[in-house]
């Protein structure tokens, strides 16, 4: 019998890669999307013809939809990827961000406990939970101190703790992946990597002449989203639920990413980049480096895409995209 998996936030970057991955493994995938005034299914449009891919409306802030869908499909696995995931925006809409992430996760856990106690659960935790806590030389581990630095990160830490609590209190198979930044050609256009690759492509094609950025000195441990989707699945295939850091073990500044991409494009960033104070955050996360030794040892997971390959993959894809759509 086919396994059934529910993915919340299916229209997002990770939802699309995870859907492809689970369908390739023979799952029936129930993708949950929320109602939006414009169509947001671009990343999953190519999956529509697959009879094992079903879309349903859901919202993290509507617990009735959570309970109804879990009751209807009685899934074997649930991947909770939905979130207002933009850290800077979480300072502007803190209540919506925090409610969705914290109460949305609580409702899923409660529905699993009541309706499908054997269902395995994955929570999309985040490296943002470490905030500005001191980083060990070899990177943050599952045991490192967490001092979140945004409403988004505070809510993610609440949900992370809740998952651990339900795992222990009710013996639920509930795991958290502490994923460090992961990017791809499908990354949202307002995250810094995609903003840079899109701008470089437009500048190269003579369609843009300025790129406004905020803090260029923060460090991020950037991996490829396609590699990280596999790690989510691996966590739910273990006998015991647990929490795992998923990262590359390399960290670079935003400035380094900018130069990498502009070098690929044959452009000088000094000519085009301007710093806009409005893009700085009230509380910045200055340095993120992950130590994913536990994932390697227990899950057999390792990242497969280098920083340079990721930057090139994203620039090449955006160059083609802009050429096809705007030129
Ligand atoms: P994403 O592209 O922003 O996708 C998030 C999805 O959640 C979107 O499809 C969004 O819908 C949906 N969503 C937002 N608010 C919702 C609500 N109230 N109810 C239902 N759905 C809602 O994010 P991602 O990069 O794929 O990340 C997936 C998850 O991993 C998120 O929880 C994120 O916080 C977490 N995470 C991401 C990273 C990373 O580097 N990418 C790292 C660690 C953790 P719309 O399409 O309608 O906006
Ligand atoms: O910022 C700096 C910014 O928005 C990265 C989310 O997926 O990963 C992501 O969160 C850095 C920050 O990602 C701009 O200040 C400079 O230091 O691309 P970002 P993020 O905040 O690290 C984590 C793991 C998640 O969980 C989140 O969901 O880049 N930066 N100039 C800028 N950032 C943006 N967005 N735009 C700029 O113009």
């Amino acid at each position: 019998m086919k396994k059934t998996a529910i993915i919340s936030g299916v229209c997002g970057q990770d939802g699309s890669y995870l859907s492809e991955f689970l369908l390739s493994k023979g799952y029936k995938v129930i993708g949950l999307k929320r109602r939006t005034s414009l169509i947001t299914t671009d990343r999953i449009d190519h999956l529509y013809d697959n009879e094992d891919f079903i879309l349903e409306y859901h919202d993290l802030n509507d617990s009735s939809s959570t309970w109804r869908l879990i009751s209807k499909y009685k899934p074997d696995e649930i991947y909770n990827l939905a979130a207002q995931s933009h850290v800077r925006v979480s300072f502007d809409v803190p209540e919506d961000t925090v409610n969705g992430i914290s109460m949305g996760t609580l409702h899923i856990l409660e529905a699993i406990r009541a309706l499908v106690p054997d269902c395995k659960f994955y929570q999309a935790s985040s490296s943002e939970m470490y905030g500005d806590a001191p980083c060990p030389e070899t990177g943050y581990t599952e045991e490192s101190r967490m001092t979140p630095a945004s409403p988004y990160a505070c809510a993610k830490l609440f949900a992370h703790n809740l998952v651990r609590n339900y795992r222990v209190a009710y013996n639920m198979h509930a795991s958290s992946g502490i994923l460090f930044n992961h990017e791809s050609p499908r990354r949202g256009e307002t995250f810094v990597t995609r903003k840079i690759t899109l701008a470089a492509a437009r500048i190269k094609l003579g369609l843009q002449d300025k790129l406004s950025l905020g803090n260029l000195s923060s460090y991020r441990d950037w991996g490829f989203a396609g590699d990280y989707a596999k790690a989510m699945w691996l966590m739910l295939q273990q006998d015991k639920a647990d929490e795992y850091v998923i990262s590359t073990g390399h960290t670079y500044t935003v400035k380094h990413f900018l130069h990498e991409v502009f070098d690929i494009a044959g452009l000088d960033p000094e000519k085009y980049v301007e710093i806009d104070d409005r893009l700085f955050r009230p509380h910045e996360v200055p340095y993120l480096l992950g130590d994913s030794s536990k994932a390697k040892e227990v899950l057999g997971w390792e990242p497969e895409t280098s920083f340079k390959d990721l930057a090139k993959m994203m620039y090449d894809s955006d160059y083609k995209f802009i050429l096809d759509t705007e030129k």
Side-chain angles (χ1 to χ4, degrees), residues 3 9 21 75 238 261 297:
K3 279 190 187 170
F21 182 82
Q238 308 307 307
V261 172
E297 192 185 314

Side-chain angles (χ1 to χ4, degrees), residues 85 126 152 181 187 190 192 195 214-215 218 220 281 284:
S85 74
S126 165
Y152 166 82
N181 297 54
R187 184 56 144 151
T190 58
V192 79
K195 189 171 167 183
N215 181 11
S218 49
R220 290 293 183 269
R281 292 162 187 200
E284 177 63 277

Side-chain angles (χ1 to χ4, degrees), residues 160-219:
H160 183 72
N161 284 329
L162 201 62
V163 170
R164 186 185 300 141
N165 174 229
Y166 272 57
R167 181 164 67 236
V168 175
Y170 304 119
N171 200 23
M172 280 172 59
H173 199 295
S175 291
S176 290
I178 308 170
L179 270 53
F180 283 62
N181 297 54
H182 45 282
E183 321 292 312
S184 74
R186 300 181 196 170
R187 184 56 144 151
E189 295 180 9
T190 58
F191 295 97
V192 79
T193 53
R194 186 79 198 287
K195 189 171 167 183
I196 290 170
T197 56
L198 266 176
R202 286 204 180 101
I203 292 169
K204 186 74 184 173
L205 289 163
L207 297 165
Q208 185 172 329
D209 55 11
K210 283 279 169 260
L211 167 60
S212 298
L213 291 173
N215 181 11
L216 300 186
S217 60
S218 49
Y219 284 78

Side-chain angles (χ1 to χ4, degrees), residues 6 10 18 36 62 100 102 120 137 149 152 193 232 239 258 282 296 308:
I6 288 184
V10 76
L18 184 64
T36 46
D62 181 323
S102 57
K120 295 176 178 176
E137 205 176 312
Y152 166 82
T193 53
M232 299 174 192
D239 290 340
L258 170 71
K296 183 176 178 188
K308 276 182 177 296

Side-chain angles (χ1 to χ4, degrees), residues 75-136:
D76 301 287
E77 297 174 7
I78 297 180
Y79 297 83
N80 183 29
L81 309 187
Q84 189 301 95
S85 74
H86 202 287
V87 174
R88 175 68 190 83
V89 173
S90 78
F91 287 96
D92 300 326
V93 286
E95 200 173 322
D96 177 65
T97 305
V98 171
N99 276 343
I101 293 172
S102 57
M103 295 308 288
T105 306
L106 177 64
H107 286 303
I108 298 175
L109 288 168
E110 273 297 305
I112 292 176
R113 191 161 82 87
L115 302 171
V116 279
D118 292 332
C119 175
K120 295 176 178 176
F121 176 75
Y122 172 84
Q123 171 61 15
S125 286
S126 165
S127 53
E128 283 292 305
M129 300 185 309
Y130 297 109
D132 50 9
C135 184

Side-chain angles (χ1 to χ4, degrees), residues 15-16 19-20 23 43-51 53:
S16 68
S19 296
E20 285 170 1
L23 289 168
R43 297 173 175 117
I44 51 168
D45 281 347
H46 61 292
L47 302 176
Y48 278 170
D49 289 342
N50 191 322
E51 61 180 23
F53 186 69

